[in-house]
Structures are given as structure tokens and as C-alpha cells.
Amino acid sequence: MKTERQKTEHSEADCRGMAHSIVDHSETRNLQSTPPKANCPEIDRLDIEKFLEGPEERRQEIILKYFEISGGGDSDLGIEHIPKIVEAGFVAICLKGECELMLDYIVHEFKAGRMCVGVTTTIVQTLWKSDDFECVLLATNLEFIQYINMPSISDLFITIRSNPCISLSEEEIKALPAYFKYIKLIYERKEHMYRMEIIKQLIQVLCYEVASIYQRDRLLEKRVFSYKESIFRKFVELLSLEYKKERRVTYYAAALYLTPKNLSYIIKEVSGQTAAEWIDYYIMHNVKILLTTTTLTVQQISDRLNFPNSSFFTQYFKRATGSTPKAYRSAGKKR
């Protein structure tokens, strides 16, 4: 139970994004709140790179960090006193106790047997934790949701953003932390020749486990989409079909009967990423697969993705990754 002092400390609403009303939804207690006022200090950003051991790890394609959080005191993440923007995809599982966890200005009851998922840039703050609180968390620079290849990916994205905390079955409570530890074990085997390839596959397995849990509870079918969410769904569906031929935001805006400015605003508001960032992701994800799993030449990949020439394609790839396609392919073979 919280003391009166703790309750008072957490009632300072403006800059901490606290709530004005309480709505009970069975296992999750949401406190609907407002974003910070314009004159509040800018929210700190929490990048998992600050927890890395050295420069070599920062140069990896995949950066991953495993946390074990326990007790009612401060954690290594430093999210107990002020909200922070977590620039990582993450999955957290509460093993024991409970806490009040604010995600994007909505406060959730995060207790034993529940999972919490962050799919993109998320504002996070722990408002209160019980003394017996125990949680495991896996964070990565990859966005978990984008590792799932399924037709309803936009629906799943929106559903997780709207329902980040969900109850687990007894089987899932045992299985998911085991996934975390095994991924951590492989990640730390730095001399393993195929370490990164294995990590990618294990993260994908975890992604499908998360998707299965949301589909099991039929949250995707229950979801009623707003106008902006419907636009986002149509955009992602169109993008998945056309990204090999079209990279222009203007093209997708026209197809959805919107101005480029309006489309970009809507996509950013719903997903936390701009329309251009989504387009770049789809292209780069496909390019990386072609570079690491096929023998296609750079010219052939450039042609397949409708770039004007291989030189333009190489510049595009280098801006996004910091290396040329050939260098990226060579690095993949050495890992």
C-alpha cells in the first residue's frame, strides 16, 4: 500500500503528466491524462546505448539489453522520479508485486503475471512500486513490432499502443522470461560466428509470441479504430504493397486523398514515426535481407527496388546505415 506522502508526491500533475480522472478497466487502472504544458522542461530521453560496455557494441546492427528490476527503490533505468522517452522497443514481465507504470501519459497497473510492451518511442515513468516488486525487461534498438511479417501488422501496432499491458497465462509467464535469458546468453557470446543471425531469429520468435498473446485475447477483433488509426492502417497496407516501386510521401498521400502534410501528421501522431521513416524502414529492411540472404548484385537489388541507378541506391543505403551495401554484406559474412 502507498503512504499518504507517496500519494501526495504523485499528485503533481502538470509536468509529470498525471491524471485528472480514474477509469477502472478490470485488471488495468488507466488514469487519463494530458501531456506536459508547453512551458515544462523538455522530457529526458533514455537510450539503451548508455548501458553499453564499449564502442564495439555501439557499432552492432542489433543492440540489446536485459534488465532485472526488484524492490521499491530506484532502478538502473532512472524512471522513478521523472518521465523519460524510451527510444527502444521493449517487453517487460512482472514476476512479483506490483507498480503503477505510466506509458504515454496513461497509468497502468503493472502487477505479477502481466506483460508490458513498448513498440516505438514511448514516454515511461514508474510512479510507485511495491517493496516486493520483481520485473524482467528486454530492450533493443530494433522495434519489435516491425519484425513480424503478417497482413494485419498495422492493426497489431495500434492495438499494442492502445493496450500495452496485458495478462499472461501460467505457461507464458514461464516461457517468456526463459526467452529473455536465452537471448541474453546468445547476445553475450561475442565470439560466436552467427551470433547476430541467431539473435535476429530469437527476437522474431519473441515477436510472434507477443502477437499470439494479443490475438489469443482477441483484442485485434475488439478494436474500434479512430479516423487517424484507419488512415494509418490503410497507409501501412498500401506501403507493404508499393514500397518496392514508390518512395514518395506524395504518392501515398494522393492515394489516401490527403495532403502530404496531413498524412505525415497523422502517421506521426498514431505511430510515433513519420511517413517517410516508415517508407525508409520497409525499403531498408528488404535491402538488408537481400544483401545477407541472396547473391544478387548491388545493381540487381537497385533495379528490383526501382532505384534510378546503383550509385543513387548506394548513397541512399549509406545515409541510412553509415556503410555501403558491399561493406554491409561483407560485414555480415564475417559475423
Side-chain angles (χ1 to χ4, degrees):
M1 296 292 292
K2 287 180 288 187
T3 65
E4 288 300 314
R5 179 173 174 274
Q6 287 173 316
K7 291 179 180 178
T8 301
E9 288 175 346
H10 296 314
S11 66
E12 299 170 2
D14 287 345
C15 293
R16 297 197 178 194
M18 290 300 292
H20 302 298
S21 62
I22 298 176
V23 182
D24 289 319
H25 295 291
S26 62
E27 295 198 40
T28 301
R29 184 162 61 94
N30 292 338
L31 304 177
Q32 301 297 336
S33 60
T34 57
K37 294 180 179 179
N39 60 354
C40 286
E42 184 178 348
I43 298 175
D44 290 340
R45 293 181 176 271
L46 179 61
D47 194 322
I48 61 170
E49 288 193 9
K50 70 173 286 189
F51 299 101
L52 302 184
E53 297 176 1
E56 287 187 8
E57 196 170 359
R58 285 184 173 84
R59 290 194 292 267
Q60 294 175 166
E61 180 185 352
I62 299 174
I63 297 174
L64 185 143
K65 190 67 179 178
Y66 172 81
F67 297 91
E68 292 182 351
I69 302 169
S70 61
D74 293 356
S75 68
D76 291 340
L77 296 173
I79 56 173
E80 285 74 22
H81 302 290
I82 58 172
K84 292 188 177 182
I85 299 175
V86 178
E87 296 185 319
F90 66 87
V91 178
I93 298 167
C94 184
L95 305 175
K96 189 178 179 183
E98 61 180 316
C99 80
E100 285 186 351
L101 184 65
M102 183 184 76
L103 300 169
D104 291 330
Y105 302 107
I106 298 178
V107 179
H108 302 267
E109 185 180 8
F110 186 43
K111 61 184 181 180
R114 304 206 88 200
M115 174 179 71
C116 178
V117 182
V119 293
T120 186
T121 305
T122 308
I123 298 173
V124 180
Q125 183 182 359
T126 301
L127 303 175
W128 170 82
K129 292 187 292 186
S130 62
D131 290 337
D132 63 342
F133 179 75
E134 291 184 12
C135 165
V136 291
L137 183 148
L138 189 71
T140 175
N141 61 331
L142 299 174
E143 294 190 359
F144 283 98
I145 196 69
Q146 293 181 342
Y147 248 63
I148 304 175
N149 182 20
M150 54 185 290
S152 57
I153 185 65
S154 57
D155 293 5
L156 181 61
F157 185 98
I158 295 168
T159 301
I160 291 178
R161 290 273 294 195
S162 302
N163 302 273
C165 294
I166 187 171
S167 296
L168 302 174
S169 67
E170 289 185 12
E171 184 181 68
E172 291 158 351
I173 293 170
K174 293 177 182 178
L176 292 178
Y179 281 138
F180 287 13
K181 290 183 178 179
Y182 187 62
I183 291 172
K184 174 178 178 286
L185 175 67
I186 297 297
Y187 184 76
E188 292 175 347
R189 295 175 64 187
K190 294 187 168 67
E191 302 305 317
H192 196 296
M193 183 180 297
Y194 300 108
R195 170 172 160 258
M196 283 295 117
E197 284 66 27
I198 295 173
I199 288 294
K200 288 178 188 177
Q201 296 302 318
L202 290 175
I203 289 177
Q204 190 169 41
V205 169
L206 178 60
C207 288
Y208 278 108
E209 286 284 359
V210 170
S212 176
I213 291 167
Y214 275 87
Q215 291 177 317
R216 177 205 67 202
D217 282 4
R218 307 182 74 84
L219 288 173
L220 295 179
E221 295 179 14
K222 297 175 185 177
R223 179 76 179 144
V224 177
F225 298 102
S226 67
Y227 167 74
K228 290 179 180 178
E229 290 171 340
S230 296
I231 292 295
F232 172 70
R233 293 178 69 212
K234 292 175 183 177
F235 167 72
V236 173
E237 288 167 8
L238 182 62
L239 177 59
S240 67
L241 296 173
E242 302 289 343
Y243 74 94
K244 293 181 181 180
K245 295 185 292 184
E246 282 291 347
R247 293 185 295 278
R248 298 171 299 151
V249 174
T250 52
Y251 170 83
Y252 295 97
L256 296 171
Y257 304 102
L258 294 167
T259 66
K261 184 177 180 179
N262 284 343
L263 177 63
S264 294
Y265 171 78
I266 290 171
I267 302 306
K268 177 73 172 179
E269 185 167 299
V270 174
S271 71
Q273 294 176 291
T274 65
E277 286 171 337
W278 275 93
I279 294 168
D280 284 343
Y281 163 75
Y282 266 85
I283 295 169
M284 293 307 302
H285 184 63
N286 192 261
V287 168
K288 289 177 180 179
I289 290 173
L290 293 174
L291 286 171
T292 56
T293 63
T294 75
T295 58
L296 293 174
T297 66
V298 171
Q299 180 66 60
Q300 288 171 326
I301 295 174
S302 173
D303 292 342
R304 179 173 291 195
L305 295 176
N306 202 34
F307 281 87
N309 53 62
S310 61
S311 177
F312 185 89
F313 168 68
T314 297
Q315 291 175 9
Y316 180 90
F317 187 89
K318 190 170 184 179
R319 278 198 305 270
T321 67
S323 67
T324 65
K326 288 183 179 179
Y328 183 87
R329 172 173 274 171
S330 297
K333 289 178 180 177
K334 292 176 182 177
R335 285 196 295 265

